[in-house]
Amino acid sequence: MQWEKLKPPEPDDPMCCCECDLDQYGCCCDCEDLDEAFTRWLKDRPSKGGSCQSPVLGAIIDRMEISLIPALLLLPLVLRVAALHYLLGITILTALPGMVLWYYYATHRKKKRTLFFLTLSLYSLFYMYYLFITEILPRGDVSQLQMCTVTTGVILTLVSLIQTKRGPGFVTPSLHVSHSHSQEADKDSSHLNGCIQSAAATGTENALTTKWRSCPVCKIMRPPRAGHCRTCGSCVQRLDHHCVWINSCVGQANHRSFLLSLSVFVVTSLYGISLVLSSLCPRQYLMTALLYCPGVYTQSSSALCFTCAWYSSIVTGGLFYMWLVQVVNISLNVTEREAQLALRNNTGQRRLWGLVISTGQYSRGFCQNWAEFLTMVEASVSPRSSLTDLV
């Protein structure tokens, strides 16, 4: 029993510093949380020169989310200021993604759930749709069929997002119990039918059974390809990644709906941007209208719509990259978590504008991988992922 506790972690699921329970400070690996483990070591040491961090600064950092969520109400004002002149538009639309990325990395390092990105995405979606109705539709260049198409895309995006927020499929102790019962039932049925299994089949079955490992944090048995999310604080079946834009994990139960949300949003956004540019710049090609649209700053309404088209293009470009990462990973039957582990273990390569290309042990070919993804049995939603988890 002592050896089982001191046994090193499995190579495909390395234990992080904060998850190690063998040492008081948990400095046992070289992951990204090494600085956090060193911080915990410093906190246990007696202070010699006073606190290194101001209490006021710490309070500001802890309450940063409370001050940033009301700032979303300033988004229309910021876009209107950017529409005053094209130089202001370039400056603001360049600085805005940088600020969002800075806040993303700040919350990612703190392993903290935040509603900022989900609120920003929903608020941007509704505000762009509001401008489309109030500014573009009265111009008379959009037909009723095109308007219904955009509205349908917005509704489908919200419906698929709600389906995604139902839960990623958390690992519960009852999951391993039901798996053990099913294994015993299969053995009993095989014995009753008089089927004699070969030694190779028995070895394969034992190998599949031993893939269930104990989580060093949750202390529960989890199935293959499951992982522990330090942001949510739970193990997720077939964990892909923790998405800050939906404030939830992407796992076995909501991976397909997550991909559907990305697909519908990207298609709807591209279609809406094309309608806006066709209305504002009827004499320009759609591919060049974003770069050159003469006379668009002569009116405040057209300048605002043109600026919002640029803002939507930036958001759509980021989500399209996320969609491309998901498509590549599904084609290779690898999750984002497994791809990052492969990159850490030098078994994966960065290609295609930063995409991690890794063919793991689960890949069975392009068609087989997509068939497995589309027919994947969804995990039952645990009580933690109920309606209260939608926020």
Side-chain angles (χ1 to χ4, degrees):
M1 294 297 178
Q2 188 68 17
W3 167 249
E4 291 294 332
K5 184 176 181 179
L6 298 178
K7 187 173 65 173
E10 298 294 335
D12 62 337
D13 191 17
M15 186 184 301
C16 295
C17 299
C18 58
E19 299 175 358
C20 181
D21 57 352
L22 305 182
D23 185 74
Q24 180 181 358
Y25 306 110
C27 300
C28 62
C29 61
D30 55 350
C31 71
E32 60 183 4
D33 292 325
L34 187 58
D35 54 346
E36 296 181 7
F38 187 73
T39 302
R40 292 196 302 269
W41 179 76
L42 287 178
K43 287 182 178 180
D44 290 342
R45 285 298 185 94
S47 178
K48 295 182 179 180
S51 178
C52 299
Q53 182 179 358
S54 173
V56 178
L57 181 60
I60 292 176
I61 295 176
D62 292 337
R63 290 166 176 79
M64 187 179 299
E65 182 181 354
I66 300 178
S67 61
L68 283 178
I69 289 182
L72 296 175
L73 301 178
L74 298 177
L75 180 63
L77 179 61
V78 171
L79 292 177
R80 288 186 180 275
V81 172
L84 295 178
H85 197 270
Y86 72 94
L87 291 179
L88 283 175
I90 294 175
T91 303
I92 293 177
L93 293 179
T94 303
L96 193 61
M99 295 177 62
V100 173
L101 288 176
W102 170 82
Y103 186 63
Y104 163 73
Y105 284 110
T107 55
H108 180 71
R109 287 184 61 85
K110 294 171 63 176
K111 302 295 184 297
K112 179 181 178 183
R113 300 186 67 179
T114 174
L115 289 172
F116 174 77
F117 299 98
L118 179 61
T119 308
L120 176 63
S121 58
L122 292 178
Y123 190 80
S124 301
L125 177 64
F126 287 122
Y127 184 66
M128 296 300 110
Y129 183 71
Y130 168 76
L131 287 180
F132 184 81
I133 295 177
T134 58
E135 300 292 343
I136 300 300
L137 192 60
R139 299 171 68 95
D141 299 326
V142 179
S143 63
Q144 293 294 329
L145 179 60
Q146 292 173 333
M147 180 62 194
C148 292
T149 303
V150 174
T151 304
T152 303
V154 173
I155 294 176
L156 289 178
T157 301
L158 295 177
V159 171
S160 56
L161 180 61
I162 294 175
Q163 183 69 21
T164 304
K165 289 290 294 178
R166 289 185 59 191
F170 293 105
V171 179
T172 58
S174 60
L175 186 64
H176 183 255
V177 175
S178 60
H179 174 75
S180 301
H181 290 170
S182 63
Q183 291 289 333
E184 294 177 359
D186 293 340
K187 291 180 180 179
D188 294 339
S189 61
S190 62
H191 286 303
L192 290 177
N193 295 330
C195 299
I196 302 176
Q197 299 179 348
S198 62
T202 304
T204 304
E205 183 180 356
N206 293 333
L208 293 176
T209 305
T210 54
K211 288 184 179 180
W212 284 71
R213 302 187 181 95
S214 176
C215 176
V217 181
C218 300
K219 307 300 180 183
I220 60 175
M221 297 297 295
R222 61 187 186 189
R225 310 189 74 177
H228 183 84
C229 176
R230 286 169 286 168
T231 304
C232 295
S234 300
C235 285
V236 179
Q237 299 184 55
R238 200 180 183 274
L239 175 63
D240 189 82
H241 70 288
H242 181 88
C243 182
V244 296
W245 294 103
I246 63 174
N247 194 29
S248 176
C249 288
V250 177
Q252 180 175 333
N254 62 349
H255 200 170
R256 285 178 296 186
S257 57
F258 175 75
L259 182 63
L260 179 62
S261 302
L262 288 178
S263 303
V264 175
F265 179 85
V266 170
V267 172
T268 303
S269 181
L270 290 176
Y271 184 68
I273 292 172
S274 64
L275 293 179
V276 172
L277 294 179
S278 299
S279 178
L280 297 178
C281 311
R283 299 180 181 180
Q284 299 291 328
Y285 293 103
L286 292 179
M287 301 300 296
T288 60
L290 273 176
L291 302 177
Y292 180 72
C293 186
V296 73
Y297 284 96
T298 57
Q299 298 180 357
S300 59
S301 60
S302 60
L304 177 61
C305 294
F306 184 74
T307 304
C308 292
W310 259 106
Y311 174 77
S312 301
S313 301
I314 295 174
V315 175
T316 305
L319 293 181
F320 176 76
Y321 178 79
M322 188 185 302
W323 175 85
L324 183 62
V325 170
Q326 292 296 315
V327 170
V328 172
N329 289 342
I330 295 171
S331 302
L332 299 175
N333 198 359
V334 62
T335 63
E336 181 64 19
R337 171 176 171 270
E338 294 169 350
Q340 295 299 327
L341 290 176
L343 186 64
R344 182 186 302 176
N345 298 331
N346 296 326
T347 58
Q349 297 179 353
R350 284 192 178 273
R351 297 178 181 176
L352 299 175
W353 305 287
L355 294 180
V356 180
I357 306 299
S358 173
T359 55
Q361 56 179 332
Y362 304 100
S363 181
R364 302 177 181 175
F366 179 83
C367 297
Q368 291 279 350
N369 294 337
W370 274 97
E372 178 182 345
F373 175 77
L374 296 176
T375 59
M376 181 171 51
V377 179
E378 292 190 357
S380 58
V381 180
S382 63
R384 177 169 182 168
S385 57
S386 58
L387 292 178
T388 58
D389 191 58
L390 293 178
V391 295

